[in-house]
Amino acid sequence: MKARLLIVDDSMVIRNLIARQMLDERLPPIDLVDLAGDGEQALAIALSRKPDFITMDLTMPNMDGEACIERLAEVLPGARIMVVSALSDKATALRAISKGAHGFLHKPFSEEQLVAALLELMS
Amino acid sequence: MPVLHSFLRGKYRVLVFAVAAFFLVSVGVYTLNFVLLQNVERDAKSINEGGKLRGYSQQLAKAVLTLSHESAAGEPVQTSQAQISEAYQAFDLALARVQTFAAASQDGPALELADKLDRQWQPLRDAAITLLISATPQRAEIDAAVTLSNTRNVRLLQLADDLTYEQERLAGDRARSMRVLQSGAIAVALLMFVFIVVHVARRLSQSDREAEQARRETTDILRTVREGLFLIDRNGTIGTQRSEHLARVFPHPLAPGDNFLVTLASLVTPDTLDSARQYLGLLLNERVKPALLADLNPLQRVQLAQPDGSRPKYLSFGFQPVRGGAATGITGMLVAVADVSQEVRLERELADAEERARSEVALLLDVLDKDPADVRRFLDDARAKLDGLNAALRDVAPEARAYLTTVTKVCREVHSIKGEAAALAIGAVAAQAHRFEDELGALRQRRTLTGDDLIPVATGIGRMLQELAKIDAVISRLAAFAQPAADAGPRGSETPRGEDGVLQSMQRIQRLALAVAADLDKKLRVETSLPHFGAIPEPVHRLLREGLPQLVRNAVVHGIEAAAERRRAGKHEEGRLRIELTRSADGGIELTVADDGRGIDVHALRRRLTEDGQRAAEQVAAMSDRDVIATLFEPGVSTAAAVSEHAGRGMGLDVVGALARETGARLKLVSTPRAYTRFTLLWSPA
C-alpha cells in the first residue's frame, strides 16, 4: 500500500520543492501529495485525506505549525510529522517534538538533507 | 516464576539443588523408618501372640485335668468345660494371628513352626471339643483327652518357645537394619548440611569480596573521574552516589533527594530551564528516537548566572538514560557535568584573534600598494577631522538646532573621510564610515534632537578613530620591517606635491571611477588631462584629495547612465568622464570634471526637495532652475533614489562646496539634461 504525504508551508517555493523531491527514487513511493499553506488548511486536509506523513512549517498565518502539530497529534495520532523550519533554536525543536513531531529539518536545506530527513521520517 | 527461574540459573543454583537433595534424603529416611517401625510393631505383636500360645496350652491342660478329677469325684464339670472351651478358642485365635504375621513377614522358619504347632494342636483340639459335647463326658473320652493333653502340651510349649525365639531373632535383625539405615541417613544429611554450609559460606565470602572490590572500584572511579557524575531518577531526584569532581564543578552543593531541575532553576534562565525540562522528558520517552534529540540538549553549553563582576562560567551537561532491565525500561539518567569555561574562553579568543588577523590582513592589503605619504596624510587629516568633531560635540550649545547642525557637520566630515578612504581603496575605513553614515542619517531624519542623541555620534567617532588606529598599527609594523628603506627619506612628507604626486592622485581617481562604475554595472571610459605645470599649491592639492573623489563618484553614480539606457538615448554604451587640471595664462588653476551622462534633472530635483520636506511646495515652485540646482551643494540633497556606499546621501557636493569655500575656489556647474554635466573649480593666481 502506497503512502500519502501532506506538505504544509506558507511558501509556495518550499511546497513545490518538497513535492518535486518526492520523485526521488531513493524515497518510498507516495501515491498522493497534498499541499497546505497554513495550519488551518493543513488540519482540514489532514482530517479528510488522512496522510501518513506530514512536513510542517512553523511560522505560518492563521494557525502556526506548533498549534497544528498539537491538534494533529490528537486527531491523527498515526501520522508522522517532520518540522521544516528556519527557526533553528533548540527550544523550538524541543517544543515541536514534545507536541508530537517526529523529525526536524532546518531551512535552508540541501537536496541530500531533505531526502535523508524524509527517509528517516518514512522509516 | 521469574524469580525461581533466575534462582535456578543464577549463583544460587547449587544451593537450591543441595537443599532439594537434603529434603529428598530426609523424606526417604522417614519413609523407610515408617515402614520398619510398622514391621517392629508387627514383630512385637507376633512375639506377644507366641507367648499367649504357651499360656492357652497350659490353661487347656489344667482344665482337662480338673475336669478329669471332678468327673472322678462325681462333681459337676461345667466350669471346667467352660475353661476348656475358652482355652481352645483363644489358642485357635492366637495361632491364626501367628500364622498371619509370619506370612506377612515372609518369615519361612516362623511359618514352618506355626505349621508344626497347628499339626500338634489339631488332635488335642479335637479331643477337647469332644469333652464339650456332653454335659457329663464319658470316662474314656476324659482319659483320652488327659493322655493327649499330657503328651501334646509339652510339645506345644516347646514349639511355642521356638516360635517366640524365632520372632525375637527376626525383630532383632530388623532393629539392626534400622539402626544402620538411620545412621547412614544421618551421616548423609550431615554431609549435605556441611556441604551447604561450606558452599554458602564460600559464596557469601566471594560475594563480599566482589562487592567490596566493586565498591572500591566505584569509589576509585568517582574519585578519579574528571567529570561531575551523578544519577537522577525519572522524577529528577538526585541519587546518593556522585563523583568528587562534582563539588568542584557545580556551584551549589547537590544533596541526595534534591530535585535536579529545582537546583538548576537558580543557575539558568527560565527559558533554558523550560527547554531542559522538555528535553529530559523526551529522553525518558521510549517512543522518541534518541537520534532525534542528539543535537537538542539545551544544557550542552550553558552559561551560569554568576555574581556581578565574576568571570562567566560555562557548564556542559550530558545525559545518558539508565535502564533497569528489559522489563523496567528507563529508570533514570546518568548526568555528566563538565566545566567548559576555559574551552569557551579559548574559542572566543581564537575567534577574536582570527577576526583581528583577518582585519589586519585586509588593512595590510589595503595600504600595501599605496603611497605611504598619501596614507599618512589621509590618516592625519582624518584624525584631525574626527578630533575636531569631538571638540564640536563637547562645545555644542544645548539646543535642538545646534545638535542638528553638529550632526550635519559630522555627516559631512565622515562622508569626506569615506570618499578619501575609497579613493585610497582603504575598504575597512570606507565601510566603517558608511555604517556610521547610516546611523547619522537616521538622526538627521529627526528634526528634534536631544543631547542624548549625540552619544551614539561620539561612539561612532570613537569607532572611526579605532579603525584609523588599526591602520597606524599596521603601518608601524611595516615600517619596522622596512627600517633601512624608511631611513632614506622622511615619512608622510607635508611638502607640496609636484607633477608626480598629481599624476598618482589622478591614477587613483581613475581607479576609483572605474571601480564605482563596475559596482553599478556601468561601462565607463575615464580621460585625464594633466599638462605639465610644476608644483601644485596645497589648497588645490587638498581639493584634489578630498573633493575630487566626491565629484567623480557623483558623476559616475548620478550622471553616467547604465548601458541599456544610453543605447535607448542614442548614446555610445560606454560613458565618458573627463578630468582636467589646467593652468591659465594668468597663473590661475582650473579643475574640470565633466561627464556625458543624463545631466541634472531639475524637475526630479524639485520633486525631491518637496517630498523630503526640505522646502515648501510653493517655495520650490517659486525658485528658478539655477536656484534649484544650487541646492545640490546643501547638505542632504541628492537625486539618487536609494542610498548606496557610493552615493545618495546628498553629502558629496556639500563637501565639495565647503572645500571650495575653504580653499578659495570658485565653483561653476553647467549641465544640459540628457547630455552632460560639468563642474569647474577655479583658483585665482596667488
Side-chain angles (χ1 to χ4, degrees):
Chain A
M1 182 181 158
K2 291 182 178 177
R4 296 173 172 213
L5 173 72
L6 169 61
I7 301 169
V8 190
D9 203 302
D10 62 344
S11 157
M12 192 179 69
V13 176
I14 298 289
R15 287 200 300 269
N16 291 342
L17 196 148
I18 297 175
R20 205 167 50 242
Q21 199 60 50
M22 297 319 296
L23 299 173
D24 192 303
E25 57 191 17
R26 287 169 288 179
L27 292 171
I30 297 284
D31 72 333
L32 194 66
V33 175
D34 286 308
L35 306 174
D38 62 49
E40 281 183 2
Q41 255 185 36
L43 206 55
I45 294 174
L47 285 172
S48 61
R49 307 286 276 242
K50 308 249 182 303
D52 304 287
F53 308 106
I54 300 171
T55 71
M56 176 72 67
D57 188 14
L58 289 182
T59 313
M60 291 184 295
N62 297 330
M63 181 190 280
D64 68 23
E66 276 187 38
C68 191
I69 291 171
E70 204 166 10
R71 289 282 295 123
L72 284 170
E74 291 168 9
V75 298
L76 204 63
R80 289 180 60 78
I81 306 168
M82 176 171 75
V83 173
V84 182
S85 172
L87 301 175
S88 59
D89 59 305
K90 291 176 179 176
T92 304
L94 287 170
R95 271 202 312 278
I97 295 167
S98 295
K99 286 177 177 169
H102 300 80
F104 208 99
L105 179 64
H106 293 301
K107 293 179 191 171
F109 48 79
S110 67
E111 208 169 280
E112 290 304 311
Q113 286 169 328
L114 176 61
V115 170
L118 287 169
L119 274 174
E120 178 67 25
L121 182 72
M122 295 174 174
S123 65
Chain B
M1 283 305 286
V3 176
L4 179 65
H5 191 69
S6 67
F7 256 74
L8 290 176
R9 291 174 63 87
K11 59 183 179 181
Y12 297 105
R13 190 165 59 107
V14 175
L15 187 62
V16 169
F17 283 124
V19 171
F22 180 76
F23 178 74
L24 285 175
V25 167
S26 300
V27 170
V29 169
Y30 175 77
T31 308
L32 271 174
N33 263 345
F34 182 77
V35 172
L36 288 173
L37 281 172
Q38 275 188 323
N39 288 343
V40 167
E41 186 186 2
R42 193 170 59 228
D43 289 345
K45 284 180 180 173
S46 182
I47 291 166
N48 187 33
E49 295 300 329
K52 282 181 182 174
L53 284 176
R54 282 176 58 90
Y56 296 142
S57 175
Q58 285 185 314
Q59 188 181 336
L60 182 66
K62 183 182 170 190
V64 169
L65 280 175
T66 307
L67 186 140
S68 174
H69 289 308
E70 287 170 347
S71 176
E75 294 172 358
V77 298
Q78 284 80 4
T79 303
S80 299
Q81 279 180 313
Q83 288 174 343
I84 289 168
S85 173
E86 189 182 327
Y88 97 79
Q89 284 180 28
F91 195 100
D92 273 353
L93 188 61
L95 183 59
R97 281 180 178 160
V98 164
Q99 284 173 323
T100 305
F101 290 147
S105 302
Q106 294 179 333
D107 186 0
L111 274 172
E112 195 179 330
L113 285 167
D115 284 347
K116 284 180 179 173
L117 269 168
D118 193 33
R119 280 198 299 278
Q120 290 292 327
W121 165 248
Q122 285 307 326
L124 180 56
R125 180 178 179 274
D126 293 344
I129 289 170
T130 307
L131 296 177
L132 302 176
I133 294 169
S134 163
T136 51
Q138 299 297 313
R139 189 70 228 175
E141 290 170 347
I142 293 171
D143 290 342
V146 168
T147 307
L148 206 54
S149 172
N150 286 338
T151 55
R152 296 287 169 132
N153 188 36
V154 175
R155 184 63 185 151
L156 282 172
L157 286 174
Q158 181 63 45
L159 283 171
D161 282 347
D162 289 348
L163 183 64
T164 303
Y165 178 74
E166 173 58 25
Q167 284 168 335
E168 284 174 353
R169 185 195 62 77
L170 190 63
D173 286 351
R174 286 192 206 282
R176 272 193 298 281
S177 298
M178 206 164 82
R179 277 198 298 277
V180 169
L181 186 70
Q182 283 181 336
S183 300
I186 287 169
V188 169
L190 275 173
L191 278 175
M192 283 185 166
F193 179 73
V194 169
F195 173 77
I196 289 169
V197 167
V198 169
H199 181 76
V200 168
R202 192 183 294 162
R203 276 274 175 201
L204 284 175
S205 167
Q206 189 181 349
S207 289
D208 284 351
R209 277 200 306 276
E210 287 172 358
E212 174 60 23
Q213 188 177 355
R215 192 193 61 74
R216 206 166 45 239
E217 287 175 1
T218 304
T219 306
D220 287 347
I221 290 170
L222 292 178
R223 198 174 53 233
T224 314
V225 70
R226 304 293 296 166
E227 273 184 319
L229 295 178
F230 60 96
L231 288 163
I232 56 174
D233 67 10
R234 290 183 69 92
N235 300 318
T237 307
I238 296 164
T240 55
Q241 300 295 310
R242 78 273 318 279
S243 65
E244 277 188 17
H245 196 67
L246 183 64
R248 288 196 282 276
V249 175
F250 211 75
H252 295 331
L254 279 177
D258 281 356
N259 188 282
F260 173 61
L261 288 172
V262 172
T263 309
L264 200 63
S266 61
L267 298 171
V268 300
T269 63
D271 286 347
T272 305
L273 186 69
D274 274 352
S275 294
R277 185 175 287 113
Q278 260 172 345
Y279 177 71
L280 289 176
L282 290 170
L283 274 182
L284 292 169
N285 188 340
E286 302 270 5
R287 286 180 301 172
V288 177
K289 289 182 181 175
L292 190 57
L293 303 172
D295 300 324
L296 298 181
N297 179 1
L299 302 177
Q300 193 171 30
R301 178 171 293 183
V302 62
Q303 184 175 3
L304 300 191
Q306 291 280 86
D308 289 342
S310 56
R311 297 179 86 179
K313 181 167 186 169
Y314 293 85
L315 290 188
S316 168
F317 291 81
F319 300 92
Q320 194 64 39
V322 176
R323 291 177 182 277
T328 49
I330 299 173
T331 55
M333 297 277 171
L334 172 66
V335 186
V337 197
D339 187 343
V340 292
S341 307
Q342 185 73 7
E343 288 170 34
V344 173
R345 270 195 292 279
L346 284 174
E347 279 174 17
R348 292 204 172 156
E349 282 169 14
L350 190 61
D352 287 348
E354 281 177 358
E355 179 54 37
R356 273 200 306 278
R358 257 200 307 275
S359 162
E360 286 183 3
V361 167
L363 282 173
L364 184 63
L365 292 174
D366 278 350
V367 301
L368 260 182
D369 64 341
K370 309 296 179 309
D371 180 345
D374 283 344
V375 176
R376 176 58 60 193
R377 183 189 295 273
F378 162 72
L379 288 176
D380 292 343
D381 287 355
R383 201 178 288 111
K385 282 178 184 166
L386 293 170
D387 289 343
L389 292 176
N390 266 332
L393 281 177
R394 274 196 304 275
D395 302 337
V396 67
E399 56 183 46
R401 190 176 175 77
Y403 295 147
L404 186 60
T405 307
T406 306
V407 169
T408 305
K409 182 179 179 182
V410 174
C411 252
R412 190 188 310 122
E413 297 288 36
V414 170
H415 196 71
S416 166
I417 291 171
K418 184 174 88 169
E420 281 183 72
L424 282 168
I426 302 177
V429 176
Q432 181 71 43
H434 187 67
R435 284 194 292 273
F436 190 20
E437 276 190 295
D438 282 340
E439 297 170 25
L440 293 168
L443 281 179
R444 285 179 61 212
Q445 295 295 319
R446 294 160 50 185
R447 296 290 167 186
T448 52
L449 296 176
T450 66
D452 286 348
D453 292 324
L454 298 186
I455 294 172
V457 179
T459 313
I461 292 172
R463 282 199 302 270
M464 294 287 298
L465 284 167
Q466 278 176 2
E467 205 60 45
L468 298 177
K470 283 185 194 170
I471 300 176
D472 250 348
V474 169
I475 292 174
S476 298
R477 287 189 206 175
L478 283 176
F481 272 115
Q483 196 61 46
D487 292 343
R491 201 178 59 174
S493 168
E494 296 289 341
T495 53
R497 307 295 183 79
E499 195 177 338
D500 287 351
V502 175
L503 191 63
Q504 283 176 0
S505 290
M506 285 299 173
Q507 284 172 344
R508 272 204 314 277
I509 289 297
Q510 205 166 356
R511 282 201 299 272
L512 170 69
L514 291 170
V516 173
D519 266 7
L520 299 173
D521 208 18
K522 293 180 177 179
K523 293 186 175 172
L524 180 69
R525 181 158 55 95
V526 183
E527 297 169 0
T528 53
S529 174
L530 196 68
H532 174 76
F533 54 75
I536 295 174
E538 175 53 29
V540 178
H541 200 274
R542 185 177 166 205
L543 202 134
L544 287 179
R545 215 170 47 235
E546 299 177 21
L548 186 55
Q550 310 293 352
L551 287 173
V552 166
R553 289 202 306 170
N554 260 307
V556 178
V557 176
H558 301 301
I560 303 294
E561 310 93 329
E565 189 182 335
R566 288 181 67 86
R567 270 201 310 276
R568 280 197 301 276
K571 296 183 184 176
H572 194 277
E573 277 191 357
E574 199 173 62
R576 183 163 156 261
L577 174 67
R578 182 166 178 77
I579 306 165
E580 266 182 290
L581 186 66
T582 55
R583 191 182 285 272
S584 58
D586 60 358
I589 295 174
E590 183 176 310
L591 172 68
T592 306
V593 177
D595 67 79
D596 67 344
R598 59 172 69 93
I600 293 171
D601 186 343
V602 180
H603 295 296
L605 197 51
R606 283 179 189 277
R607 273 201 308 278
R608 179 58 67 90
L609 284 172
T610 314
E611 286 166 6
D612 286 358
Q614 299 201 14
R615 298 279 200 292
E618 300 78 22
Q619 189 186 354
V620 174
M623 289 166 72
S624 67
D625 283 358
R626 186 187 173 85
D627 290 339
V628 170
I629 289 173
T631 62
L632 282 173
F633 295 97
E634 294 176 7
V637 178
S638 170
T639 54
V643 173
S644 74
E645 187 174 335
H646 299 303
R649 297 184 191 281
M651 295 307 299
L653 293 181
D654 174 32
V655 169
V656 174
L659 277 169
R661 283 192 298 276
E662 289 169 22
T663 58
R666 277 189 298 133
L667 176 60
K668 285 201 300 186
L669 166 59
V670 181
S671 177
T672 301
R674 297 179 296 284
Y676 75 95
T677 303
R678 187 176 70 221
F679 288 91
T680 310
L681 285 144
L682 286 164
W683 286 271
S684 304

